[in-house]
Amino acid sequence: MRLAVAVLVVLVPLAVAGASQLARAGPSAPSAAVRIVVSVPRVLTLQLLDHPQTLEVGAQDVARGHVTVRGPRVDILANDRAGYRLRADLHGAAFDNVEVVGLDAPLAAGREGSVVRMPSQAGKPRAPPRSVEYIFRLDRDALPGVYRWPVALSLEQP
């Protein structure tokens, strides 16, 4: 984006100077047109920061029926004016559903997964990574143990 602005800063004065010289030369002088097109590529990236590889479920968690994980961060960059879609997929027989708290919109997913439309970030300053909280609801038959991280997040175009 800075490169495009720098090109405009250089080319616009040249075009204006050229147009004024053409005007002084009269109607028989050759003319030229300058067309400047700036294209901003679509960006859609997701980084999961501070996410554990595993999730430990204790006997107290099973008795309570859920496990809460605080501390992971999510870094999303999406510059489409139409926004983006955030998908959550839940894996593992011990987990019934998950709620992700701390995003622009509520996100909850069961075993079939879920997609939520998120607002556009276009034209806004880039936000720092967001701290999120995962609330995992346990299946009735869940047992204490160490499980592979049960949720996968991904981005989709709007």
Side-chain angles (χ1 to χ4, degrees):
M1 187 69 169
R2 290 181 182 163
L3 177 61
V5 171
V7 168
L8 287 174
V9 167
V10 170
L11 290 180
V12 170
L14 291 175
V16 170
S20 66
Q21 288 178 358
L22 287 175
R24 281 183 271 170
S28 63
S31 64
V34 175
R35 181 174 180 217
I36 299 171
V37 178
V38 177
S39 295
V40 178
R42 184 179 298 169
V43 177
L44 189 62
T45 63
L46 167 70
Q47 288 185 335
L48 302 178
L49 307 168
D50 310 320
H51 280 67
Q53 297 294 316
T54 59
L55 176 58
E56 186 172 343
V57 176
Q60 292 177 339
D61 300 322
V62 172
R64 193 173 42 246
H66 72 276
V67 177
T68 300
V69 177
R70 294 177 181 93
R73 295 177 301 142
V74 176
D75 189 15
I76 297 172
L77 179 58
N79 67 351
D80 193 313
R81 293 204 179 279
Y84 62 97
R85 298 178 343 153
L86 181 60
R87 178 175 190 80
D89 290 298
L90 184 64
H91 307 284
F95 306 97
D96 194 41
N97 65 51
V98 62
E99 181 181 354
V100 185
V101 179
L103 300 168
D104 287 330
L107 175 60
R111 292 184 179 152
E112 66 283 351
S114 179
V115 177
V116 174
R117 188 172 186 98
M118 295 293 199
S120 174
Q121 297 176 343
K124 298 176 184 172
R126 178 154 186 197
R130 298 181 96 151
S131 292
V132 294
E133 178 177 297
Y134 292 90
I135 303 169
F136 295 98
R137 305 277 180 232
L138 299 172
D139 187 75
R140 282 188 300 218
D141 299 327
L143 297 172
V146 177
Y147 296 88
R148 192 181 96 199
W149 183 252
V151 65
L153 299 179
S154 59
L155 299 181
E156 301 174 355
Q157 293 181 359

